[in-house]
Amino acid sequence: MNVIGTVGLPGSGKGEAANVAEEAGIPVVVMGDVIRAECRRRGLDPAEHHGRIAGALREEEGDDAIAARTLPLIREAAAESDREAVLVDGLRSTVELERFREAFGDDFTLVAVRAPFELRAERLDERGRDDSDSDLEALRERDARELELGLGETLDRADVEIDNTGTLAAFRRRVREVLGVADGEASEESADGGAAGDADPDPESDTDPAAPNAGGDGS
């Protein structure tokens, strides 16, 4: 089993990478689902308490708590799939990275999805999921929270990098290449236009969308 983790700042394109994986039949495990499940277990609304519960889990169970709780979900997804890979959406810190590398060894690959601030801001504004998507200062604050948790160092330690500054079609082709998916295994875009990243969920968001792959680990 190959486990492919993704890391990137909001709007970089991780959500679109997950979409490509799902189209190819590769199971996707979203680390934020761990937080949402814990919120519900405690009788709390994930939309309001996502970030707080993520912090509480780390205080109660250690800095690798989200990764540790994600491990059985990865193994379950692999057992239920006939594909040789599982994509994990939402790594944040080097602690989480080390937990996955300890668990899966050379079978774990970390993929960094990169795009500059201005382009990510433009994508999030076009996405317009909520008012904060068009707030540049809010995006800078979200970036700062991510980086404070160690996301920058985690990006730098990635095994593979995907530069997401081109078209959506080019990005999706590169993701398929990294996933080892032949072009015929995933649907092609109707047009070679638009940059990937618009559908990338913000892992730090306190929203609880019902759509698959929504959110990251909330950490």
Side-chain angles (χ1 to χ4, degrees):
M1 172 181 63
N2 295 316
V3 180
I4 301 166
T6 58
V7 58
L9 287 162
S12 58
K14 300 185 305 301
E16 186 62 29
N19 290 340
V20 173
E22 284 199 326
E23 288 172 8
I26 294 173
V28 174
V29 175
V30 182
M31 295 179 72
D33 289 347
V34 168
I35 311 300
R36 283 181 278 277
E38 182 63 19
C39 286
R40 296 186 181 100
R41 191 186 72 80
R42 299 187 187 200
L44 301 172
D45 182 355
E48 297 180 12
H49 300 281
H50 192 99
R52 181 168 71 84
I53 295 305
L57 281 175
R58 290 190 176 89
E59 290 179 2
E60 296 165 5
E61 302 177 14
D63 290 340
D64 64 347
I66 312 304
R69 287 190 174 209
T70 302
L71 288 175
L73 303 180
I74 296 171
R75 295 187 173 106
E76 179 181 348
E80 295 176 351
S81 173
D82 59 359
R83 300 306 298 252
E84 295 297 322
V86 175
L87 186 142
V88 183
D89 181 357
L91 268 85
R92 293 282 178 296
S93 66
T94 56
V95 172
E96 293 172 345
L97 171 60
E98 290 305 320
R99 185 61 186 262
F100 286 133
R101 285 187 168 158
E102 177 184 342
F104 302 110
D106 292 339
D107 291 330
F108 181 81
T109 301
L110 181 63
V111 177
V113 183
R114 294 183 180 270
F117 177 86
E118 292 78 9
L119 184 54
R120 292 188 292 107
E122 179 181 339
R123 290 169 178 165
L124 291 170
D125 184 40
E126 291 175 353
R127 181 182 71 180
R129 191 179 66 196
D130 54 49
D131 292 340
S132 67
D133 283 340
S134 60
D135 187 335
L136 293 181
E137 188 57 36
L139 179 57
R140 289 189 180 93
E141 291 176 358
R142 284 155 60 189
D143 281 2
R145 288 197 302 269
E146 300 274 8
L147 296 171
E148 184 178 355
L149 284 166
L151 189 142
E153 185 178 352
T154 308
L155 278 165
D156 291 341
R157 292 177 61 179
D159 304 295
V160 178
E161 291 200 2
I162 298 179
D163 175 61
N164 187 12
T165 55
T167 66
L168 175 59
F171 176 73
R172 290 168 65 87
R173 282 195 297 269
R174 175 59 176 146
V175 172
R176 288 195 292 272
E177 177 184 313
V178 170
L179 294 175
V181 174
D183 281 350
E185 295 182 74
S187 62
E188 289 289 344
E189 304 73 25
S190 58
D192 187 11
D198 306 273
D200 187 18
D202 173 20
E204 189 67 19
S205 173
D206 289 339
T207 60
D208 184 30
N213 299 329
D217 75 0
S219 44

